[in-house]
Amino acid sequence: MLRIPTGHETLVTTDFSLEGIHFRREWDTPERIGHRCLTRGLSDIAAMGGEPVAVFLSLALPLKLPQGWVDGFARGVLKLARRFHVTLAGGDTASSPDGVLADIIVVGSVPKGQAILRSGARPGDRIYVTGLLGGAAQRIFELYSTSGKRRRAAHTPTPLPMPRIEIGRLLRERGLASAMIDISDGLSTDLSHICEASGLGADVWENAVPRAKLRSNQLADVRIALHGGDDYELLFTSPRKSRVPDRVGRVPITQVGEITPTGKVTLVDNNGARSKFAAHGWEHFSHDFSYRSRL
Amino acid sequence: MLRIPTGHETLVTTDFSLEGIHFRREWDTPERIGHRCLTRGLSDIAAMGGEPVAVFLSLALPLKLPQGWVDGFARGVLKLARRFHVTLAGGDTASSPDGVLADIIVVGSVPKGQAILRSGARPGDRIYVTGLLGGAAQRIFELYSTSGKRRRAAHTPTPLPMPRIEIGRLLRERGLASAMIDISDGLSTDLSHICEASGLGADVWENAVPRAKLRSNQLADVRIALHGGDDYELLFTSPRKSRVPDRVGRVPITQVGEITPTGKVTLVDNNGARSKFAAHGWEHFSHDFSYRSRL
């Protein structure tokens, strides 16, 4: 039984993490896979400006899975849960016909009427992202598409995503975000969700998109930063008159474009040339790249 | 966003329905599989004396699944949800590496402090079950273990389980149930959960267990009624002085034994002979029967 504070609404998120679709056991440690699994749910709560209250985990495991893997996965989930003072309150266990199947449910709360929705953007609002984009997807892309030394290098773990709960709360408390979503499927896809829900369009300035610095000291590929998923940063819109800080703690907040009344989502390149900024561009970019689900 | 009534606690249940583990597509219509999927969650809410508020469905589908199957599955879920005035409030979709994977999340509410727990049984309490047991498992057993005419007959659908929301509410409102659980894994397994949580034992009277009437007009096998799962009836304990009705609407309520202070769960047969009533007895009874998960 959960106690949601009086005057608060209950938020519920549910996200699958499926072996072979969302992760591969040979590409990451169980701790990191557990961390990413819970990140998916906490990041959804952050994007509504909510506070996480409790976590539920449905886990189906193949019979031959080593116990050590399960222990590591659970450690990854629990360590991140503790970081946000959330309890693992229950769940379901089953045997899996094939591969590890996890569904993470996060219950959260937000003061009544204050949840930040996808539908609240207005023409002229500025579009911001937290953090740097493309780091997670660049690693996966190299594991898929390269070989030899470059592929081995890609096996080296990259920094783990951290759900932006504190930034989501700050944006809600200060009334800074008119619409918000987390970047789980990629900037192009998640921005299209805000534009659709708000019935508006957007201009995105290619040059402004903050790209992750890779281990090689290069920046992530610009197409990967624009379309790749799994960064779990926040994407939000803010009225022009609002004063959005340029960082919160060590996390930069960067304007990447603005909302337009057109209904079209457009990418503006460094020379001012305009092209359609298609959602699911990531798929078009690489048909073989089936890491993220697209149903 | 969900509004939980003031003075109520939030209940959350999560239950996997995995193809090859919990169901087989060749054995049932998609509507019936959808119905059973939601029944798992609603039945958990019923067992706490709660009211369902909203449903969330995470669904991973193989790429080659016909759209008609998905539509049928959704119809089965939505029809049952409407029956209990519950909305499908969200969820997640993904592509599945193998088979249909569903996780159903039901959010419910119960007046503060009034949820019926597994741990509330007291020595001398009577043990009751709603409805008739063994019908669902008998069909599965025959699909697994028989051939020819008998197996073809088993393909004929049996009545669908109906979550006992109204009975759970009535038991809570009248203060009749000291402990409660739903029979999803079988009477022996689910009774052991109540006994463990309450730190007590039980005597179960074999002859008293109400068995489902099969299409053949025979009763379900007694071992299947004792150990088979998937009936989604309620199992509850009630103090001796309570007046438990012998039916609610058309659903019989039957005393099947009593709680003892011993810590042992015992089956008492028609001759008064006593034997250990082992949880998971179903597994021991048939090693090949892997229909239910046992993790």
Side-chain angles (χ1 to χ4, degrees):
Chain A
M1 277 73 64
L2 306 174
R3 302 255 161 106
I4 303 294
T6 307
H8 281 61
E9 289 174 314
T10 303
L11 310 172
V12 181
T13 72
T14 166
D15 291 276
F16 267 138
S17 293
L18 308 175
E19 183 175 352
I21 302 284
H22 301 92
F23 66 89
R24 296 198 167 192
R25 261 189 281 158
E26 63 271 29
W27 283 355
D28 238 332
T29 65
E31 286 85 352
R32 291 173 58 89
I33 293 169
H35 176 106
R36 283 187 170 277
C37 172
L38 178 54
T39 295
R40 289 169 66 79
L42 290 175
S43 180
D44 284 336
I45 298 289
M48 294 186 269
E51 301 286 341
V53 172
V55 170
F56 298 79
L57 176 63
S58 278
L59 195 58
L61 304 171
L63 288 175
K64 289 184 179 173
L65 191 73
Q67 185 61 39
W69 194 93
V70 183
D71 296 343
F73 178 86
R75 269 198 307 277
V77 170
L78 290 171
K79 189 176 167 194
L80 185 62
R82 271 196 303 275
R83 160 77 175 74
F84 291 102
H85 313 290
V86 188
T87 53
L88 182 61
D92 186 28
T93 52
S95 51
S96 162
D98 180 36
V100 175
L101 313 172
D103 192 34
I104 196 93
I105 295 103
V106 180
V107 177
S109 78
V110 68
K112 221 165 253 183
Q114 291 186 35
I116 302 167
L117 308 178
R118 298 174 179 190
S119 55
R122 296 292 169 260
D125 281 2
R126 294 176 169 138
I127 303 169
Y128 293 87
V129 298
T130 63
L132 307 173
L133 303 184
Q138 181 92 38
R139 173 170 181 254
I140 299 300
F141 178 73
E142 297 197 350
L143 284 165
Y144 257 102
S145 61
T146 63
S147 57
K149 192 175 166 190
R150 196 157 163 211
R151 178 160 183 172
R152 279 194 299 279
H155 266 284
T156 311
T158 44
L160 283 166
M162 191 52 72
R164 302 302 188 193
I165 296 287
E166 291 90 349
I167 300 181
R169 179 197 306 137
L170 179 147
L171 293 172
R172 171 179 55 76
E173 285 173 349
R174 298 196 191 164
L176 291 176
S178 50
M180 185 148 63
I181 194 170
D182 67 315
I183 305 181
S184 55
D185 290 335
L187 176 60
S188 59
T189 300
D190 292 312
L191 179 59
S192 78
H193 293 321
I194 283 185
C195 288
E196 279 162 25
S198 302
L200 294 167
D203 280 1
V204 172
W205 312 323
E206 184 176 301
N207 206 26
V209 173
R211 291 187 267 159
K213 198 183 236 184
L214 307 178
R215 194 168 289 268
S216 60
N217 256 336
Q218 291 181 302
L219 295 180
D221 183 284
V222 66
R223 293 166 303 172
I224 290 178
L226 290 170
H227 300 296
D230 275 357
D231 285 318
Y232 302 104
E233 296 293 348
L234 295 176
L235 168 66
F236 64 95
T237 60
S238 189
R240 273 181 180 280
K241 64 177 178 3
S242 299
R243 296 183 57 179
V244 175
D246 60 8
R247 58 178 56 241
V248 172
R250 297 168 62 177
V251 181
I253 299 182
T254 312
Q255 189 185 355
V256 298
E258 59 191 19
I259 296 292
T260 64
T262 60
K264 289 178 186 160
V265 186
T266 302
L267 188 66
V268 185
D269 78 7
N270 304 352
N271 303 317
R274 301 169 64 84
S275 61
K276 190 177 175 191
F277 190 38
H280 297 192
W282 183 238
E283 265 189 327
H284 297 248
F285 167 54
S286 168
H287 276 288
D288 295 332
F289 189 94
S290 60
Y291 177 71
R292 298 279 323 166
S293 79
R294 294 299 180 201
L295 269 171
Chain B
M1 278 73 62
L2 306 174
R3 301 255 160 107
I4 303 295
T6 307
H8 281 61
E9 287 174 313
T10 303
L11 310 172
V12 181
T13 73
T14 165
D15 291 276
F16 267 138
S17 293
L18 308 176
E19 183 174 352
I21 302 284
H22 301 93
F23 67 89
R24 295 197 170 196
R25 261 190 281 160
E26 63 271 29
W27 283 355
D28 238 333
T29 65
E31 286 84 353
R32 292 173 57 87
I33 292 168
H35 177 105
R36 284 189 169 276
C37 172
L38 178 53
T39 295
R40 289 169 65 81
L42 289 175
S43 181
D44 283 335
I45 298 289
M48 294 186 269
E51 301 286 341
V53 172
V55 171
F56 298 78
L57 176 63
S58 278
L59 194 58
L61 303 171
L63 287 175
K64 288 183 179 174
L65 192 75
Q67 185 61 37
W69 194 95
V70 183
D71 296 343
F73 179 87
R75 269 198 307 277
V77 170
L78 290 170
K79 190 176 167 193
L80 185 62
R82 271 196 303 274
R83 160 78 175 74
F84 291 101
H85 314 292
V86 187
T87 52
L88 182 62
D92 186 29
T93 52
S95 51
S96 161
D98 180 36
V100 174
L101 313 172
D103 192 35
I104 195 92
I105 294 101
V106 181
V107 176
S109 77
V110 69
K112 223 165 252 185
Q114 290 185 37
I116 302 168
L117 308 179
R118 299 174 178 190
S119 54
R122 296 291 170 260
D125 281 2
R126 294 174 168 140
I127 303 169
Y128 294 86
V129 298
T130 63
L132 307 173
L133 303 184
Q138 181 92 39
R139 173 171 180 253
I140 299 300
F141 179 73
E142 298 197 349
L143 284 165
Y144 257 102
S145 61
T146 65
S147 58
K149 192 175 166 188
R150 196 155 162 215
R151 178 161 183 170
R152 280 194 298 279
H155 267 285
T156 312
T158 44
L160 283 167
M162 191 53 73
R164 302 302 188 193
I165 295 287
E166 292 90 349
I167 300 181
R169 179 196 306 137
L170 180 147
L171 294 172
R172 170 179 55 77
E173 286 173 350
R174 297 196 192 164
L176 291 175
S178 49
M180 187 147 64
I181 194 170
D182 67 316
I183 305 182
S184 56
D185 290 336
L187 176 59
S188 59
T189 300
D190 291 312
L191 178 58
S192 78
H193 293 321
I194 283 185
C195 288
E196 278 162 25
S198 302
L200 294 167
D203 280 1
V204 173
W205 312 322
E206 183 176 304
N207 206 28
V209 173
R211 291 187 267 158
K213 198 183 237 184
L214 307 177
R215 194 168 287 269
S216 60
N217 257 337
Q218 290 180 303
L219 295 180
D221 183 284
V222 66
R223 293 167 303 173
I224 291 179
L226 290 170
H227 300 294
D230 274 358
D231 285 317
Y232 301 103
E233 296 292 349
L234 296 177
L235 168 66
F236 64 97
T237 59
S238 188
R240 273 181 180 282
K241 62 175 186 352
S242 299
R243 297 182 58 180
V244 175
D246 60 7
R247 59 178 55 241
V248 173
R250 299 168 62 179
V251 181
I253 298 183
T254 312
Q255 189 186 355
V256 298
E258 59 191 20
I259 295 293
T260 63
T262 61
K264 288 178 187 163
V265 187
T266 301
L267 189 67
V268 185
D269 79 7
N270 305 350
N271 303 315
R274 302 169 65 82
S275 61
K276 189 177 174 191
F277 190 38
H280 298 190
W282 183 237
E283 263 190 329
H284 298 248
F285 167 55
S286 170
H287 275 289
D288 295 334
F289 189 94
S290 61
Y291 178 70
R292 298 279 322 164
S293 80
R294 293 296 182 204
L295 266 173

